[in-house]
Amino acid sequence: MSPLLHHHPPNNDSFTNIVSGFNWESSKKKGGWYNFLIKSIPEIAASGITHVWLPPPSHSASSEGYLPGRLYDLDASQYGTQDELKTLIKEFHSIGIQCVADIVINHRTAERQDSDGRWNIFEGGTPDDRLDWDHSCICIDDITKSGDTTTNSGGTGNPDTGADFNGAPDIDHLNTRVQRELSDWMNWLKTEIGFDGWRFDFARGYSPDITKLYMGNTRPDFAVGEIWNPLSYGSDGKPNYDQDGHRRELMEWVKAVGGSATAFDFTTKGILQAALVEGELWRLKDSNGGPPGMIGLMPENAVTFVDNHDTGSTEKRWPFPSDKVMQGYVYILTHPGIPSIFYDHFFDWGLKEEISNLTMIRIRNGIKASSTVRILASDPDLYVAAIDDKIIAKIGTRYDVGNVVPTTFKIATSGNNYAVWEKQ
């Protein structure tokens, strides 16, 4: 077992900085993604990264890993072999970086059809019957869609406890065998493969009580859930100023899971990119004078991000404006919450030095998930905030910040429409 696998609740307020170690195209990398990523470890370590989020490790009907089938079969992954993954994780551990597995358990693809031609016979990927399920482990109300075709997988389990996923059978997480065998598999990912924590994919697909159960059974050092719901929009097509309901939904999920997990702060992402696109930086101050995203309510459990493999990359389902990405990083890397850096931005966009400057400022000044924010300006073209009264961050097109920044602060880094000062 890895020496990093301490059996204690996660301490989300210690300095944590995540990098996503893949994008939507990584599974196509010649020679294997694991073998490629291992060469980048020195650069990742030099930038103050504490956790790397790795792609789904198992056999999958899709090369990206998000339609998993034989969960124990890691050699069939398009990212590389089980041994290559173990070597990669061992290298990360050798320099103190923890590895987070992408856990896709809401749905699962079957190995073969039953006697009625329905895809509901599952294979676990071992010689024994672990994870060898049938229709009894599929939700009774499951519907699978492919284009205009809708099929019933013949599930006879309990009704789904969350949102439906149309791409593969939704698994019945109220089934005690499912709970036991998925928990065993996740613990195997810890003890045999070396993973330290989890990113729960499509976590709104099952009840937070289920996530709480898996958290208790596997006790990860770190966990984050993907609860991606749309913001509320006005008749003008823009996000509403008040997104309190959206961020409270994230906060309530964290509480229901037991408080030790975190959630991706989709509220902050949505407000931040809308504010920058529209030139409406007043959006970055809520009616109480604080940050308007989840970081304004429960920052120690909020994972902030600019983009990920879904929202950005070649998927571009909700991309941050490309010419404003660095202003996005200035915000998340100076503010409370747990910042997550996207692989593409760090390695492929030529932003590694600018991003690293920000992570070093964060570390140097002891900025943590629970740090306090004092917003000094929130005009359409200017946002300025002091964090822990140790650093001041500015984004927006206005160059002149007036006398907002005290003379006791000295410029630490700057770029296109952004600047950060440190207290002397």
Side-chain angles (χ1 to χ4, degrees):
M1 183 180 289
S2 161
L4 290 177
L5 297 182
H6 312 298
H7 293 294
H8 55 70
N11 177 11
N12 298 332
D13 200 35
S14 59
F15 177 77
T16 304
N17 195 4
I18 306 166
V19 67
S20 64
F22 66 104
N23 61 30
W24 197 248
E25 304 298 320
S26 298
S27 61
K28 302 170 185 173
K29 189 71 178 179
K30 188 176 180 181
W33 185 251
Y34 300 147
N35 290 335
F36 175 76
L37 186 61
I38 201 167
K39 302 170 192 171
S40 304
I41 289 180
E43 297 170 88
I44 293 172
S47 299
I49 301 297
T50 60
H51 293 67
V52 60
W53 160 21
L54 296 175
S58 302
H59 157 265
S60 169
S62 61
S63 62
E64 299 85 9
Y66 289 94
L67 293 174
R70 302 189 301 270
L71 292 179
Y72 277 103
D73 187 356
L74 273 51
D75 284 330
S77 168
Q78 294 299 303
Y79 295 100
T81 67
Q82 177 172 313
D83 284 345
E84 288 165 354
L85 175 58
K86 290 176 71 172
T87 298
L88 175 67
I89 291 174
K90 188 175 180 181
E91 283 297 307
F92 273 119
H93 283 174
S94 72
I95 53 170
I97 293 177
Q98 296 200 356
C99 296
V100 178
D102 205 323
I103 299 297
V104 187
I105 53 175
N106 169 73
H107 51 273
R108 191 177 169 202
T109 54
E111 185 79 6
R112 59 186 184 277
Q113 296 165 291
D114 67 7
S115 57
D116 293 323
R118 295 174 298 193
W119 289 91
N120 58 24
I121 307 298
F122 300 90
E123 166 58 50
T126 67
D128 55 39
D129 67 351
R130 283 176 292 169
L131 298 172
D132 293 356
W133 302 339
D134 61 14
H135 58 84
S136 65
C137 296
I138 300 173
C139 295
I140 194 168
D141 50 357
D142 175 70
I143 294 293
T144 301
K145 294 180 181 178
S146 179
D148 294 330
T149 305
T150 299
T151 57
N152 186 318
S153 53
T156 59
N158 291 286
D160 201 341
T161 60
D164 186 42
F165 179 83
N166 292 328
D170 281 39
I171 298 304
D172 174 17
H173 289 277
L174 296 177
N175 183 309
T176 54
R177 179 184 177 185
V178 168
Q179 294 174 357
R180 181 179 67 254
E181 294 190 355
L182 284 179
S183 297
D184 288 347
W185 171 68
M186 291 164 70
N187 280 321
W188 175 81
L189 289 177
K190 284 176 65 176
T191 56
E192 177 61 30
I193 309 304
F195 279 109
D196 306 285
W198 319 128
R199 177 259 183 188
F200 289 102
D201 176 71
F202 198 68
R204 65 188 185 90
Y206 43 93
S207 161
D209 291 339
I210 299 298
T211 311
K212 183 178 183 179
L213 181 143
Y214 292 128
M215 287 286 293
N217 288 350
T218 63
R219 302 172 76 183
D221 272 10
F222 178 83
V224 58
E226 181 200 31
I227 309 293
W228 183 2
N229 288 316
L231 301 182
S232 64
Y233 287 82
S235 57
D236 59 359
K238 297 180 183 180
N240 290 323
Y241 165 69
D242 184 355
Q243 298 290 338
D244 200 52
H246 191 272
R247 62 176 176 174
R248 285 190 181 279
E249 186 177 33
L250 297 174
M251 185 177 72
E252 291 306 319
W253 181 87
V254 166
K255 287 181 177 178
V257 168
S260 60
T262 66
F264 284 111
D265 190 351
F266 281 93
T267 319
T268 288
K269 172 182 165 58
I271 294 173
L272 182 58
Q273 66 187 41
L276 287 165
V277 167
E278 303 293 343
E280 298 174 343
L281 297 180
W282 45 263
R283 292 176 175 272
L284 298 178
K285 182 179 180 179
D286 70 11
S287 59
N288 296 314
M294 185 184 176
I295 61 169
L297 295 179
M298 189 184 268
E300 63 276 13
N301 294 83
V303 175
T304 52
F305 68 106
V306 172
D307 265 326
N308 60 34
H309 66 281
D310 279 328
T311 65
S313 190
T314 53
E315 282 284 272
K316 292 186 170 63
R317 290 168 59 187
W318 198 31
F320 208 88
S322 58
D323 61 332
K324 297 174 175 63
V325 160
M326 274 311 303
Q327 291 182 77
Y329 279 112
V330 168
Y331 186 91
I332 71 167
L333 287 170
T334 59
H335 278 55
I338 301 166
S340 178
I341 299 164
F342 183 38
Y343 180 91
D344 290 18
H345 297 155
F346 191 78
F347 286 105
D348 298 341
W349 286 35
L351 302 177
K352 180 168 54 183
E353 184 176 348
E354 287 184 86
I355 291 173
S356 296
N357 286 341
L358 293 168
T359 60
M360 290 302 112
I361 291 169
R362 186 178 182 89
I363 293 169
R364 196 158 62 231
N365 290 278
I367 305 302
K368 296 180 180 180
S370 63
S371 289
T372 58
V373 177
R374 192 161 51 88
I375 297 173
L376 306 176
S378 56
D379 300 326
D381 59 351
L382 176 70
Y383 173 84
V384 184
I387 300 87
D388 286 347
D389 284 323
K390 294 178 180 178
I391 63 174
I392 294 176
K394 171 262 176 186
I395 59 175
T397 55
R398 192 197 306 176
Y399 179 78
D400 184 8
V401 297
N403 59 359
V404 170
V405 179
T407 55
T408 51
F409 283 75
K410 184 180 178 183
I411 197 83
T413 190
S414 63
N416 186 25
N417 293 327
Y418 76 82
V420 180
W421 293 262
E422 287 178 301
K423 194 170 188 178
Q424 296 304 295

